[in-house]
Amino acid sequence: MSWNQSELKCSNQTHTSSKYSYFDFVQKPIEIYVFIDPLCPECWSLEPFLKKLSIEYGRFFTIRPIISGQLDALNKDKFDKPKRLKDIWEKTASRTGMSCDGDLWIENPVSSPWIASLAIKAAELQGKKAGRIFLRKVQESLFLKKQNISDEKVLFQCAKAAKLDVGEFENDLYSDTAKKAFQSDLNLTKEMDVDFIPAIVFFNPSTEDQGIKISGLYPYDIYVQVLKQILQKDAVPSSKPPLEDFLSYYEVVGIKEVSVVYDWTKAKAEREMKKLQLQQAVEKIPVKYGTFWKYNDEQ
């Protein structure tokens, strides 16, 4: 794959009927590389935008999470300063609305970050979708439950929650295949000159046009604009699913995610979730910042 890039870079991190046929978008798929680190709160804060982009325009692209390993490399000194990490997490939570409980770094710090990254690649051996679901469960365990995601017991719990074959996952965790997949992600990070996370690269392998890289967090409209540019066509957003279908699919969501996806104010999103709570369709998850809800699939 040849690589040339145009880049939109955010040094500040946060700024706070279709003409397409099935043949069209299968023949010219857009690939979106999302460079993340499972311990990065800014990457966690990207989740609402990725969900909305997938719902509205997912028929045009596939998302490929790339575990960059950049958090450890770029912020190595911070791992020796838990108070500093706590402050960074909690400022991010306050700014973005996606809870990051920084008390983790005081009470139950992550001892070996690379194990969590390797586990994500092991999960992907059971399929790309399985890998994405496992990644989300790892993030929930870390940011919401303050769990040490380098602890194998926690990773096996995540594998079970993601409905993986846990025995297969255990066999794959330290396998050469998983290690090679992780190394491939690190090589791709270097090849695409990713030196800041999160970063998203939009790439159309069917054309000779350059890819477009966005480093940092941007307003949602920027991602749509870049997608249309790389797609080389206008695109009509798909209709949003009913709220309960959205919750059933993702299982655990934050108010920030609901408000972004449905273009609601935070207050309206809270009201809609409380209606479902009265119907016992969801239960509230206690978190330090914002609000998260778990769908009750046993109703």
Side-chain angles (χ1 to χ4, degrees):
M1 176 177 67
S2 62
W3 171 248
N4 292 300
Q5 71 182 38
S6 295
E7 179 175 1
L8 293 172
K9 186 154 187 176
C10 164
S11 58
N12 243 356
Q13 300 184 9
T14 302
H15 302 272
T16 18
S17 110
S18 175
K19 295 180 180 178
Y20 308 103
S21 66
Y22 178 82
F23 179 80
D24 284 335
F25 70 81
V26 166
Q27 192 173 29
K28 292 186 177 182
I30 303 302
E31 294 180 358
I32 299 181
Y33 299 86
V34 183
F35 292 84
I36 62 168
D37 188 293
L39 277 80
C40 171
E42 296 285 345
C43 298
W44 172 239
S45 302
L46 185 63
E47 282 286 290
F49 303 126
L50 293 179
K51 281 182 171 57
K52 186 172 185 178
L53 199 67
S54 295
I55 287 170
E56 294 191 334
Y57 300 100
R59 64 194 188 276
F60 299 115
F61 62 80
T62 57
I63 287 181
R64 181 180 169 190
I66 306 297
I67 309 303
S68 72
Q70 289 295 298
L71 187 69
D72 199 17
L74 297 177
N75 304 313
K76 192 173 181 180
D77 64 315
K78 295 176 186 174
F79 283 96
D80 298 324
K81 301 175 182 177
K83 180 63 168 61
R84 185 178 178 190
L85 273 170
K86 170 183 165 69
D87 291 343
I88 290 171
W89 274 35
E90 302 203 346
K91 286 178 182 178
T92 301
S94 298
R95 186 176 68 246
T96 66
M98 291 291 283
S99 188
C100 312
D101 194 336
D103 289 338
L104 165 86
W105 295 105
I106 307 299
E107 301 170 4
N108 191 24
V110 178
S111 51
S112 303
W114 66 271
I115 295 178
S117 297
L118 193 62
I120 293 165
K121 305 318 294 182
E124 287 179 358
L125 297 177
Q126 297 188 37
K128 292 181 180 179
K129 181 178 179 181
R132 288 195 299 270
I133 295 173
F134 177 79
L135 168 60
R136 173 70 184 203
K137 297 304 179 185
V138 167
Q139 290 174 312
E140 290 169 7
S141 296
L142 178 73
F143 295 113
L144 305 182
K145 301 177 184 177
K146 295 187 294 183
Q147 293 182 328
N148 177 0
I149 58 170
S150 62
D151 185 326
E152 288 183 4
K153 291 181 181 178
V154 172
L155 294 173
F156 294 148
Q157 290 170 359
C158 291
K160 184 176 180 180
K163 299 180 173 59
L164 299 184
D165 181 321
V166 179
E168 185 178 339
F169 171 76
E170 184 174 3
N171 291 333
D172 288 335
L173 181 54
Y174 298 106
S175 68
D176 288 342
T177 305
K179 291 176 182 176
K180 288 177 181 177
F182 184 29
Q183 186 60 53
S184 178
D185 278 12
L186 298 179
N187 292 342
L188 190 59
T189 300
K190 184 176 181 180
E191 177 187 343
M192 292 194 174
D193 298 322
V194 173
D195 55 6
F196 183 91
I197 54 172
I200 299 180
V201 175
F202 294 77
F203 187 77
N204 188 339
S206 300
T207 71
E208 295 181 358
D209 291 344
Q210 58 191 11
I212 299 177
K213 182 173 72 176
I214 303 178
S215 298
L217 294 177
Y218 279 80
Y220 177 70
D221 289 347
I222 296 296
Y223 300 110
V224 175
Q225 177 185 329
V226 172
L227 176 64
K228 291 180 178 181
Q229 180 178 340
I230 207 76
L231 188 63
Q232 298 184 340
K233 297 179 180 179
D234 195 7
V236 177
S238 298
S239 299
K240 297 178 177 65
L243 177 58
E244 196 162 347
D245 289 351
F246 171 76
L247 298 169
S248 174
Y249 183 82
Y250 286 108
E251 298 182 351
V252 174
V253 299
I255 279 297
K256 175 70 173 184
E257 293 175 301
V258 174
S259 63
V260 166
V261 168
Y262 288 91
D263 300 306
W264 292 341
T265 62
K266 179 182 175 182
K268 178 172 173 57
E270 290 276 10
R271 287 196 301 270
E272 295 300 321
M273 294 304 296
K274 286 177 181 177
K275 289 178 186 176
L276 292 177
Q277 185 181 30
L278 291 173
Q279 299 169 20
Q280 298 185 325
V282 297
E283 59 183 78
K284 193 172 183 179
I285 299 175
V287 293
K288 192 169 184 178
Y289 293 92
T291 310
F292 274 74
W293 300 85
K294 184 179 186 301
Y295 182 72
N296 180 13
D297 56 7
E298 297 179 356
Q299 60 179 311

